Amino acid sequence: MTPLTIVMYHYVRPLGRSAFPAIKGLDLALFDQQLDYLARHYNPVSMEAVIDALDGRGELPPQAVLLTFDDGYLDHYTYVFPRLAARGLTGAFFPPSKVVLERAMLDVNKIHFILASGAAPDDLVAAVERACVERAAEFGLPGLDSFRKGNYHANRYDPVEVSYVKRMLQQALPEALRAQVTAELFARHVSADETAFAEGLYVSVEQLRLMVSAGMHVGSHGASHYWLSRLTPAEQEKDIAASLRLLAAVGTAPAYRSMCYPYGEFTEDTVAILARLDFKAAVTTRTALAEPGPATRFVLPRLDTNDLPKSAGADPCPWTLAAAHAVITDSSSGTLNAPS
């Protein structure tokens, strides 16, 4: 089977005109440019076409590209959906069911907006570490040196202070303390009304139904956007099964049930659960071209929007050339290899 390029998007909005221009998202004008680039170099396909190919009911065209949108943002209905529809394109959208059905803010999104609020990263670091010191005995925390050793370093997209705050509030601290500190910082720097903020941030059931009726795909992103790799198999299955309520509510056909792993995290147990619940495909956050097949249907890698040009007239980038020459990227070695 030919390689498949799967592109991952999150926030897509006119950043300069938004209330949080510093949010880590894709500006709408650049999204339009990237769609033009993709139209020049790729053949867009739907998630349904990918699943049909996986199940032997069809073949993908050369230079196939699938567009995916994570987290259920209102951006996807307001800005993305009309642009895709106008071009005759489809996208695969993955909202956590909790944000749509319960209108509840995810802690990960609170962290995004805290960091985009204009608060100084050094002040946020100080606030997080102050909470660690003040509540060390209550939560049995190690010293700050231990936290800094494991978490105080930059990542692919963030400077060290921002990366540190993310790691502390997403992973390193105990869940109860993470939630409390995140809620306090969100109320201080962003909004004291989480419910109202959620209404303006996330897509609704009615909007998703309209998108599905117009040919868009809606898949599962779990119920509560958990790090699935940190849950027991029973906890994983409970969360994934709970997310099926949303798929049923918006009209996703069970024969085309798909999954996007929150944070890209999963285990062998997760894959077994998806098979048992009749999922047909799942996408990860591993950076590579996908080689769709029976053995890879639940571990399909994706490129980030930042891995591809955002200029309509840009020359083909290495990823585009790799797909054109039918090669697969081995992201563990960083080399390009012919499919096996």
Side-chain angles (χ1 to χ4, degrees), residues 182-220:
T182 299
E184 291 166 4
L185 291 174
F186 186 82
R188 184 184 311 159
H189 295 290
V190 183
S191 174
D193 190 340
E194 288 188 14
T195 301
F197 199 90
E199 284 291 342
L201 179 61
Y202 300 119
V203 71
S204 70
V205 170
E206 293 74 18
Q207 290 163 341
L208 288 172
R209 283 177 183 153
L210 178 59
M211 292 166 68
V212 169
S213 72
M216 304 298 148
H217 176 88
V218 174
S220 171

Side-chain angles (χ1 to χ4, degrees), residues 25-311:
L26 178 61
D27 187 77
L28 191 58
L30 295 181
F31 179 62
D32 287 330
Q33 287 282 311
Q34 190 163 82
L35 289 180
D36 288 340
Y37 173 87
L38 294 173
R40 288 179 58 225
H41 298 289
Y42 291 89
N43 291 304
V45 297
S46 66
M47 177 61 82
E48 285 75 12
V50 171
I51 291 173
D52 281 342
L54 288 169
D55 287 344
R57 293 190 295 269
E59 294 185 358
L60 297 178
Q63 291 291 90
V65 64
L66 171 67
L67 307 183
T68 66
F69 301 85
D70 295 8
D71 297 338
Y73 300 128
L74 187 58
D75 292 3
H76 301 160
Y77 176 78
T78 304
Y79 302 116
V80 172
F81 169 44
R83 281 165 169 76
L84 297 185
R87 293 169 178 260
L89 303 177
T90 65
F93 298 83
F94 296 99
S97 62
K98 177 179 179 180
V99 307
V100 181
L101 298 176
E102 301 176 25
R103 314 309 282 165
M105 285 285 298
L106 297 177
D107 281 353
V108 64
N109 292 142
K110 293 180 192 176
I111 295 166
H112 292 164
F113 285 95
I114 291 166
L115 291 168
S117 68
D122 286 345
D123 291 343
L124 296 176
V125 169
V128 171
E129 293 193 334
R130 184 164 55 250
C132 292
V133 172
E134 292 173 351
R135 309 190 70 175
E138 178 183 353
F139 286 93
L141 302 180
L144 292 179
D145 287 347
S146 176
F147 283 122
R148 288 212 165 206
K149 182 178 180 181
N151 300 283
Y152 197 81
H153 49 86
N155 63 29
R156 184 182 181 194
Y157 299 115
D158 300 311
V160 63
E161 296 85 0
V162 171
S163 177
Y164 180 60
V165 170
K166 283 184 176 180
R167 286 193 175 94
M168 293 291 280
L169 296 182
Q170 291 180 0
Q171 307 174 44
L173 297 179
E175 182 176 4
L177 181 57
R178 294 200 310 264
Q180 291 169 19
V181 174
T182 299
E184 291 166 4
L185 291 174
F186 186 82
R188 184 184 311 159
H189 295 290
V190 183
S191 174
D193 190 340
E194 288 188 14
T195 301
F197 199 90
E199 284 291 342
L201 179 61
Y202 300 119
V203 71
S204 70
V205 170
E206 293 74 18
Q207 290 163 341
L208 288 172
R209 283 177 183 153
L210 178 59
M211 292 166 68
V212 169
S213 72
M216 304 298 148
H217 176 88
V218 174
S220 171
H221 204 29
S224 299
H225 204 272
Y226 289 137
W227 297 75
L228 294 174
S229 62
R230 301 181 181 188
L231 303 182
T232 66
E235 291 168 336
Q236 290 189 46
E237 184 154 6
K238 180 180 179 181
D239 182 77
I240 295 169
S243 75
L244 297 181
R245 285 181 53 217
L246 177 61
L247 302 194
V250 303
T252 298
Y256 292 102
R257 192 173 284 167
S258 69
M259 176 76 181
C260 173
Y261 302 116
Y263 306 103
E265 292 284 319
F266 64 96
T267 65
E268 291 182 1
D269 291 316
T270 321
V271 172
I273 291 165
L274 294 185
R276 188 160 58 248
L277 294 177
D278 292 327
F279 280 79
K280 304 301 181 183
V283 296
T284 72
T285 57
R286 186 169 68 88
T287 304
L289 300 182
E291 186 178 9
T296 63
R297 67 167 63 234
F298 294 127
V299 291
L300 297 171
R302 296 185 288 175
L303 304 185
D304 187 82
T305 175
N306 294 305
D307 293 317
L308 294 171
K310 304 182 195 72
S311 171

